[in-house]
């Protein structure tokens, strides 16, 4: 068996183990990152049903139900090599009844992928009203949360790619250009530097920086503006980058509080990175960043959690947030991105991805976190 097929078999067995512990009879995996993680490949999710059903007591008998017209795409796939049985259905047939027929009559509880469109879950439930559906996100997240060495290599290489983009910021960011113009150039650079696509490009200048998920607009960037640049996307293997730096555009009269706030956020971010170690709780990392910002009197302006897990999705488990008492374990990968958002004025966020190592955080991003003033480049 190929390595990829062996990985699939091993992951399906681990998933079945977590499902048994949760008293779930079958896990129903939808197209998307969970399917990609388990079988190395995914397909588009649409109105035609595709589902991988993993029985918790017989993971080696997993069944993939899919439209007949898409069967060819799986020829020679690791999923096929791993012995997953493919059951196809034709337009006009009822795939929900077909799936339930494959799984038998004595199903009690099914865990359903968080990425399954509600319409499919609804039809499945209608086809078997006594089936107890529950979300599978945490079961699958349990597996995906701890990265294997080759996954950490992917995160490091896509991290290096996004660092190269940040280091080139002076090529694009300057007064007189709109956020959209700068964002378009950055998006192209993401692909040039090794991303499959630019998934998100936030260029939030001046007061727009106070909104953490502002993307980019027609606002013309001015001299002296702070600019939050939060960018990332997947590499060809599907692993994501996500890194934020807050720059200052040279000239003009910067907000008198900006340098102080930038230094505060930098200090908070480094405090949280330093707090990472196996056994520390996820919420303690949030606390480490928040304490620094609260003590300086800016607590009410730190309006987000400190971070999120990352891998095949940009946001996944574990979440670095108050209330998450889960102890960190080696291999967990997540962002550390405290910020201060001053409405009507500016925002500052600094974000790196870290992986929990035996001794502490291993940074996947190494571009400078000090304040960088972007000078107008001579062309
Ligand atoms: Zn976000
Ligand atoms: Zn980000
Ligand atoms: Zn992030």
């Amino acid at each position: 068996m190929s390595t990829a097929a062996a990985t699939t078999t091993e992951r399906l067995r681990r998933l079945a183990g977590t499902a048994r512990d949760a008293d779930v009879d079958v896990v129903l995996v939808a197209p998307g990152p969970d399917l990609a993680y388990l079988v190395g490949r995914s397909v588009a999710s649409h109105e035609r049903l595709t589902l991988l059903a993993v029985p918790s007591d017989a993971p080696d008998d997993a069944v993939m139900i899919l439209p007949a017209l898409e069967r060819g795409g799986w020829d020679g796939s690791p999923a096929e090599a791993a012995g997953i049985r493919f059951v196809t259905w034709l337009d006009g047939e009822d795939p929900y009844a077909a799936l339930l027929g494959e799984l038998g009559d004595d199903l009690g509880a099914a865990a359903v992928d968080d990425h399954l469109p509600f319409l499919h879950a609804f039809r499945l439930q209608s086809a078997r009203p006594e089936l107890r559906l529950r979300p599978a996100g945490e079961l699958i997240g349990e597996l995906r949360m701890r990265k294997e060495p080759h996954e950490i290599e992917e995160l490091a290489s896509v991290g290096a790619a996004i660092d190269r983009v940040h280091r080139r910021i002076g090529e694009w960011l300057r007064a007189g250009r709109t956020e959209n113009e700068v964002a378009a150039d950055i998006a192209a650079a993401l692909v040039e530097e090794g991303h499959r696509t630019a998934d998100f490009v936030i260029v939030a200048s001046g007061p727009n920086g106070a909104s953490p998920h502002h993307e980019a607009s027609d606002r013309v960037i001015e001299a002296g503006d702070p600019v939050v640049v939060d960018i990332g996307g997947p590499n060809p293997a599907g692993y994501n980058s996500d890194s934020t730096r807050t720059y200052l555009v040279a000239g003009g009269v910067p907000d008198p509080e900006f340098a102080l706030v930038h230094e505060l956020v930098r200090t908070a971010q480094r405090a949280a990175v330093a707090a990472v170690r196996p056994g520390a709780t996820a919420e303690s990392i949030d606390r480490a960043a928040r304490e620094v910002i609260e003590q300086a009197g800016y607590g009410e302006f730190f309006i987000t959690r400190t971070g999120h897990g990352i891998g095949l999705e940009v946001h996944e488990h574990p979440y670095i947030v108050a209330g998450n008492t889960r102890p960190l374990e080696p291999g967990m990968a997540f962002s550390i991105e405290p910020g201060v958002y001053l409405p009507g004025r500016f925002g500052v966020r600094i974000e790196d991805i870290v992986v929990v190592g035996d001794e502490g955080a291993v940074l996947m991003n190494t571009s400078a976190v000090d304040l960088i003033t972007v000078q107008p480049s001579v062309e």
Side-chain angles (χ1 to χ4, degrees), residues 15-330:
L15 175 61
T18 61
R20 283 195 301 275
D21 292 344
D23 286 323
V24 162
D25 299 315
V26 65
V27 185
L28 302 175
V29 184
D34 293 324
L35 188 64
Y37 176 79
L38 290 170
V39 308
R41 178 171 189 275
S42 187
V43 290
S45 172
H46 46 67
E47 81 289 356
R48 290 189 173 104
L49 182 71
T50 295
L51 264 186
L52 172 69
V54 185
S56 60
D57 60 356
D60 294 350
D61 296 336
V63 177
M64 179 100 77
I65 184 147
L66 77 172
L69 76 158
E70 292 184 7
R71 175 66 182 86
W74 293 89
D75 283 344
S77 63
E80 204 177 49
I84 291 173
R85 198 154 51 83
F86 287 81
V87 174
T88 59
W89 61 277
L90 291 166
D91 288 343
E93 292 176 348
D94 179 351
Y96 309 94
L99 175 65
L100 291 167
E102 291 293 331
L103 296 173
D105 292 332
D106 51 356
L107 277 185
V112 178
D113 197 320
D114 293 4
H115 301 87
L116 186 73
F118 173 73
L119 180 67
H120 290 312
F122 178 80
R123 291 200 172 139
L124 193 67
Q125 183 75 84
S126 305
R128 178 85 55 91
E130 64 276 20
L131 187 60
R132 292 193 308 282
L133 303 183
R134 45 159 289 182
E138 297 212 348
L139 290 181
I140 304 175
E142 205 51 54
L143 274 59
R144 287 176 44 191
M145 204 159 21
R146 285 174 224 81
K147 269 63 183 179
E148 294 159 16
H150 77 95
E151 296 183 281
I152 296 170
E153 282 168 28
E154 296 289 354
L155 287 170
S157 91
V158 76
I162 207 70
D163 290 348
R164 290 194 294 276
V165 178
H166 271 299
R167 289 193 180 103
R168 292 177 55 192
I169 195 72
E171 294 177 33
W172 317 296
L173 181 61
R174 59 183 160 272
R177 304 193 76 201
T178 67
E179 292 174 352
N180 281 332
E181 287 167 344
V182 174
D185 289 341
I186 293 176
L190 255 81
V191 174
E192 275 169 42
E193 297 293 354
H195 292 81
R196 194 170 65 202
T197 55
D199 195 35
F200 55 94
V201 178
I202 293 177
V203 177
S205 64
N208 289 341
S211 165
H213 274 178
H214 171 84
E215 292 210 357
S217 72
D218 288 331
R219 183 178 185 276
V220 176
I221 296 165
E222 294 171 23
D225 272 353
V227 184
V228 177
V229 176
D230 183 354
I231 51 181
N235 71 0
Y239 286 85
N240 285 282
S241 64
D242 183 5
S243 174
T244 310
R245 295 290 180 263
T246 302
Y247 299 99
L248 181 65
V249 178
V253 185
D255 188 295
E257 232 171 304
F258 172 67
L260 180 145
V261 171
H262 189 282
E263 179 57 18
L264 176 64
V265 172
R266 192 188 69 83
T267 305
Q269 205 263 358
R270 291 292 115 160
V273 170
V276 172
R277 65 181 59 81
T281 61
E283 69 174 358
S284 75
I285 309 307
D286 180 80
R287 192 90 297 278
R290 207 164 296 277
E291 228 149 60
V292 173
I293 291 174
E294 281 175 357
Q295 276 168 13
Y298 289 87
E300 67 182 294
F301 303 111
F302 179 10
I303 55 175
T304 66
R305 65 192 174 207
T306 290
H308 52 83
I310 189 165
L312 291 170
E313 284 176 283
V314 180
H315 289 185
E316 57 182 51
H317 294 286
Y319 291 96
I320 308 304
V321 61
N324 187 357
T325 57
R326 171 183 277 273
L328 300 177
E329 295 171 50

